[in-house]
Amino acid sequence: MTSKEYAIQCIKDEAEAVMGLVPQIDDSFDKAVDLMFGCKGKIIVTGVGKSGHIGAKIAATLSSTGTPSFFINPLDVYHGDLGVMAQGDVVLAISNSGQTDELLRFIPMVLHMQIPIIGMSGNPESLLAKYSTCHLNVSVKKEACPLNLAPTSSTMAQLAMGDALAVALIEKRDFQPRDFAQFHPGGELGKRLLTTAQDVMRTDDMPVLPPEMHLGEAIILVSKGKLGLGIAEVNDEIVGLITDGDIRRAMEKWQAEFFDRTVSDIMTRSPKTVKPETKITEIQRIMNKYKVHSVLVTDDNRHLLGVVDHYSCMI
């Protein structure tokens, strides 16, 4: 086999391992989600070796989606880290064999503190499964490793089960994008979720037109505004909107009569408006839904505050 063929086979084997989890999900999964949802403290994820690396990722995903969690290596528990655990916590213990010595030596301490244990292993008959409050079966037929030794399919199954727990908890908590943003304030994701209309709207040199203005004059103001639109106002209140497209269609329709027409003849009388606090993600949804390139930012009295266009949302 070529390297490419090995790669394809590896991906197929791991995909098969993940799909093999579907029939293994039973009432224990519901019980695990209920334990985590009802946890008054924190979720302590633990595991050794490759399972530990997967556990750290699961803990990070849970924490970022509203379930306070952190990873602890069971080896560190013997050197003082046991103090982080308290009644009200829940332990998620991960081991492919369910017989990992370092992990099993950690279990009696947890049981003594009367902390529920969610076991995740590939052996429902293991000691980890026996002493767990509930057990999640992540057994796989074989590893993707050609020697059937290196943790590959098994760790992928653990990761998928961890994501399944996180997703179930997202639904159970009714976790929303605004909640997600609070846990991701940095980078592009946080910026997009937290930025509002007032943060990006244009407020200077607005192309404001009276409805009775002839279109020949309106073209000049729309062009100077460089937004591809003109806003019709009466007594500082928005009454309509014209766009470059409206002007082109009017020229085609009326031809020589075009210059006798006014803004009110072609304006949209109910332009899309948003409040200053509207999130950019919501503005993009409005633009996509109504096939518009700009929205007007207004106060409660329909007074124009600014304009947000498609390019303003590209942050």
Side-chain angles (χ1 to χ4, degrees), residues 21-31 135-137:
L21 294 178
V22 174
Q24 294 172 190
I25 293 179
D26 54 19
D27 292 343
S28 292
F29 184 86
D30 289 330
K31 187 173 182 179
H135 178 259
L136 302 175
N137 183 4

Side-chain angles (χ1 to χ4, degrees), residues 71-84:
F71 174 79
I72 185 171
N73 189 314
L75 298 176
D76 294 331
V77 171
Y78 310 124
H79 301 282
D81 283 4
L82 184 63
V84 303

